[in-house]
Amino acid sequence: MKKISLTGIKPTGILHIGNYFGAIKPALALTREYDARYFIADYHALNTMKDPKELSERIREVASGWLAAGLNPDEVIFYRQSSIPETFELATILMAFTGKGLMNRAHAYKAAVQANQSKGEDPDAGINMGLFTYPVLMAADILLFDSHVVPVGKDQVQHIEMAQDIAQAVNYTYQKELLRTPEAAVTETVAVVPGLDGRKMSKSYGNVIPLFAPEKELRKLIMRIVTNSQPVEEPKDPENSQIYLLYKLFATLEEQQALAARYRAGGMGWGEAKEMLFQAVNRELSPLRERFEAIRADPVTLDAVLARGAEKARAIAAATLTRLRKAMGIAF
Ligand code: ADP
Ligand code: TRP
């Protein structure tokens, strides 16, 4: 039997190339070796997204993005979190095994508290219970499907560790391996994709290159990448340049070496490097963009694909819950 790989993406914003290299591509690479279960974490998005039109648009966008990037729904169980009510039952169960202190230590919650404190506001201002208990719902997503590995970006590793802790608390209580302890799978080489301003590419920083940006917009964004004021003639260090770091993701090894040599030799300006980056990015993303637009134009087929995935997922989920309810004395 193949091992199980599971991951989810929150439909909270437009997909960008950080999501693609940090999450989608590594997850799709695992589908050859693993039984994959990939989903749209739509109830996770509700914590921050209250505009119904925007949320449904984003859900379909992220789903279309996965398919455009090459997910084959005949091989991967592909679904929306909200279609699996067992997830929310499991989350309730897991609450009983999760220390409040564990949640207090979650990076995302701590960052929100710190942001409030530094503004002199109440520490809990604007923090809902969805954010506070986020790691429990995420643990439910993972543990429900007996996942062995969870491909994620570095920022998500703490959440996987919390899922491990929670699974172990359940197993320890009943002295039985009721839940499989999952491992994070982080692709180290692309662990953090830099954004237009040099910080991590993230929709919260507004420094993203959208995965399906039209060609014109793509060029414009790449031309906006922040550079230093080194003159054209001066030799430059490729590894210290956002442009080069992004180029590495899209170019062949030979192309990378050629551009690195040009950096070191001097005589190459930032404008030229940006143009080369644009060409490489556009070469990889154009076919994806075309597929995305075709899928997005046919929501009926898309929804049917997701509904089929949900049916398969629910059969697995039901078995996990039956096992737990029996072990806990909830089912006789
Ligand atoms: P954002 O940071 O834009 O809000 P999400 O938190 O929704 O993105 O991330 C979705 C997935 O994409 C996660 O697995 C996350 O680790 C990955 N990811 C997001 N941004 C990057 C990045 N700049 N580099 C690598 N992976 C990323
Ligand atoms: N928390 C993840 C993110 O912000 C999304 C997510 C929700 C997830 N449930 C998951 C990822 C389960 C992996 C497994 O990107």
Side-chain angles (χ1 to χ4, degrees):
M1 270 239 307
K2 282 188 184 173
K3 288 188 174 179
I4 295 156
S5 162
L6 173 139
T7 198
I9 294 190
K10 264 183 314 182
T12 42
I14 203 138
L15 284 176
H16 55 73
I17 63 177
N19 302 140
Y20 180 59
F21 286 104
I24 296 178
K25 239 185 146 174
L28 290 177
L30 291 177
T31 61
R32 276 174 253 125
E33 217 186 307
Y34 289 83
D35 270 338
R37 286 137 200 206
Y38 296 159
F39 69 97
I40 322 297
D42 45 7
Y43 269 126
H44 275 293
L46 187 63
N47 291 332
T48 52
M49 295 190 56
K50 303 295 197 292
D51 177 341
K53 251 178 90 183
E54 195 189 353
L55 183 54
S56 46
E57 175 71 23
R58 295 292 180 225
I59 291 169
R60 286 203 175 118
E61 225 167 62
V62 172
S64 306
W66 272 109
L67 294 169
L71 183 147
N72 175 353
D74 295 326
E75 283 171 6
V76 175
I77 302 182
F78 182 52
Y79 56 95
R80 291 170 53 181
Q81 179 191 38
S82 59
S83 308
I84 319 295
E86 290 79 2
T87 302
F88 312 103
E89 184 172 346
L90 179 56
T92 297
I93 294 174
L94 299 181
M95 294 280 181
F97 297 85
T98 305
K100 176 172 175 284
L102 187 69
M103 298 298 96
N104 288 341
R105 289 193 288 278
H107 298 319
Y109 169 69
K110 270 170 63 179
V113 170
Q114 264 159 22
N116 282 334
Q117 280 166 338
S118 64
K119 283 186 285 182
E121 285 182 24
D122 183 280
D124 284 330
I127 299 177
N128 58 41
M129 286 303 288
L131 171 66
F132 186 63
T133 61
Y134 188 106
V136 181
L137 183 54
M138 182 158 160
D141 293 329
I142 298 169
L143 302 176
L144 189 59
F145 293 100
D146 299 324
S147 316
H148 292 87
V149 300
V150 185
V152 281
K154 251 191 186 142
D155 57 319
Q156 293 297 313
V157 170
Q158 190 198 32
H159 289 149
I160 315 294
E161 289 167 356
M162 289 181 163
Q164 294 171 343
D165 288 351
I166 297 169
Q168 280 161 4
V170 171
N171 294 344
Y172 180 78
T173 303
Y174 300 99
Q175 289 296 302
K176 208 188 220 166
E177 210 204 335
L178 289 172
L179 295 170
R180 177 170 292 136
T181 308
E183 296 292 334
V186 179
T187 313
E188 285 301 337
T189 46
V190 288
V192 177
V193 175
L196 298 170
D197 57 359
R199 292 186 290 175
K200 174 197 164 203
M201 184 175 290
S202 169
K203 59 188 166 277
S204 6
Y205 299 149
N207 62 356
V208 306
I209 300 179
L211 190 51
F212 305 113
E215 203 170 302
K216 253 185 153 167
E217 188 193 332
L218 188 61
R219 177 190 291 272
K220 245 196 189 147
L221 286 168
I222 288 175
M223 294 305 153
R224 262 184 34 203
I225 294 175
V226 177
T227 50
N228 61 21
S229 55
Q230 274 178 297
V232 174
E233 354 31 285
E234 207 174 296
K236 299 172 177 67
D237 177 8
E239 297 296 335
N240 251 330
S241 153
Q242 248 55 263
I243 305 171
Y244 184 73
L245 295 180
L246 285 167
Y247 189 71
K248 283 214 294 202
L249 298 168
F250 293 95
T252 64
L253 203 56
E254 266 174 18
E255 290 170 330
Q256 293 174 36
Q257 284 163 350
L259 184 61
R262 297 239 20 229
Y263 264 75
R264 294 195 183 98
M268 186 208 58
W270 295 128
E272 195 188 334
K274 285 178 180 176
E275 182 57 34
M276 290 180 70
L277 173 62
F278 166 73
Q279 294 299 341
V281 175
N282 198 41
R283 179 181 66 195
E284 175 149 345
L285 297 189
S286 312
L288 247 84
R289 188 192 303 133
E290 276 168 36
R291 281 200 296 273
F292 176 79
E293 274 157 18
I295 296 163
R296 203 55 203 86
D298 182 5
V300 175
T301 304
L302 175 66
D303 292 350
V305 166
L306 289 164
R308 253 191 293 131
E311 222 174 284
K312 291 186 226 166
R314 287 199 69 186
I316 302 166
T320 307
L321 274 179
T322 303
R323 186 168 80 224
L324 286 174
R325 285 197 207 105
K326 274 196 188 139
M328 292 171 175
I330 296 285
F332 311 114

